[in-house]
Amino acid sequence: MSAYIASLWNDKGGVGKTTVAVNMATVAAATGLKVALVDADPQRSARDWQTLAGEEGFGFPVIGLDTLQQLKGLKEISQPYDLVIVDGAPRAPECAATVLKQSDLFLIPVQPSALDLLATQHLASTVVERLELIEGTDTKLEARFLITMAGKNTVLGREISNAAQELGVPVMKSRTHRYEEVKKLVGRGETVVDLGDDHPSKQEIAGIINEAFAILNGEKEQKSA
Ligand SMILES: Nc1ncnc2c1ncn2[C@@H]1O[C@H](COP(=O)(O)OP(=O)(O)O)[C@@H](O)[C@H]1O
Ligand SMILES: [Mg+2]
């Protein structure tokens, strides 16, 4: 069986794509899965993070795919792995479409505001068009918004669910919250795994992975999330 490809994409920078991608890959690898991280961002943030992690890096490959041509080979490159996480590039609609076509799960990280969801309108409509196109075929694709960097007391109100509904992309139940310790990880070349199992950020990344697999395995109750 070939890898599941789970991509984190948003045309906007600073929404947490790289943070979620690196941490998801690391936590998944720690559970024994054969993981690779694809850095599709020419700014190379995931690759730089790995360099800071020292000689052994994260312990799994970080593969830079910087051009549209390289990204067309995503599926082929993914074959030897169980799970490939793609860290997306901002402002690269053609790359987004190519990665979307090859992804099993397409996650759009957004900060918890209806405006931020609505700002993804172009990307969301590309996703919805793709879903309509493959409906009734063997091609599988699931797409979700992933709320990132929520505040401690953030309540996800009706505005957010209305925005998601309007855009036609459901919201994952799992989300990330803002932690100072998480912000400091990059500079140390560390990940949430280094924060330990008791840290809530480690737990929420593990929760995202579990929910991702539940969605990929077609557990229907997740669909209304
Ligand atoms: N859960 C979090 N808690 C605190 N800071 C975070 C969290 N997630 C991301 N950040 C910070 O937000 C900024 C943008 O995140 P990043 O993952 O680089 O976004 P993107 O890849 O979408 O540009 C970075 O400074 C990062 O450290
Ligand atoms: Mg990034």
Side-chain angles (χ1 to χ4, degrees), residues 18 41 45 87:
T18 303
D41 188 348
S45 313
D87 179 18

Side-chain angles (χ1 to χ4, degrees), residues 22 26 29 37 46 49-51 53-54 56-60 62 189-191:
V22 167
T26 316
L37 177 64
W49 190 341
Q50 191 205 29
T51 303
E56 289 186 10
F58 299 133
F60 52 81
V62 180
E190 293 181 350
T191 70

Side-chain angles (χ1 to χ4, degrees), residues 44-149:
R44 306 173 64 98
S45 313
R47 279 166 276 182
D48 289 344
W49 190 341
Q50 191 205 29
T51 303
L52 291 168
E55 214 154 276
E56 289 186 10
F58 299 133
F60 52 81
V62 180
I63 304 164
L65 300 181
D66 293 313
T67 64
L68 183 60
Q69 202 54 38
Q70 288 174 341
L71 283 169
K72 285 183 178 163
L74 171 64
K75 206 155 198 153
E76 206 172 314
I77 283 170
S78 303
Q79 272 184 9
Y81 303 99
D82 299 318
L83 176 67
V84 172
I85 307 278
V86 180
D87 179 18
R91 289 175 292 280
E94 281 187 320
C95 294
T98 300
V99 168
L100 176 66
K101 270 190 198 166
Q102 298 172 82
S103 296
D104 300 285
L105 180 63
F106 195 82
L107 299 177
I108 307 177
V110 277
Q111 287 185 259
S113 95
L115 276 183
D116 282 14
L117 261 75
L118 292 169
T120 69
Q121 191 169 12
H122 185 77
L123 181 61
S125 63
T126 306
V127 169
V128 170
E129 277 166 29
R130 178 75 190 159
L131 287 167
E132 285 169 359
L133 189 73
I134 63 173
E135 204 180 325
T137 72
D138 287 342
T139 307
K140 293 215 174 352
L141 169 67
E142 293 286 344
R144 298 289 186 280
F145 282 111
L146 170 63
I147 304 289
T148 58
M149 291 181 260

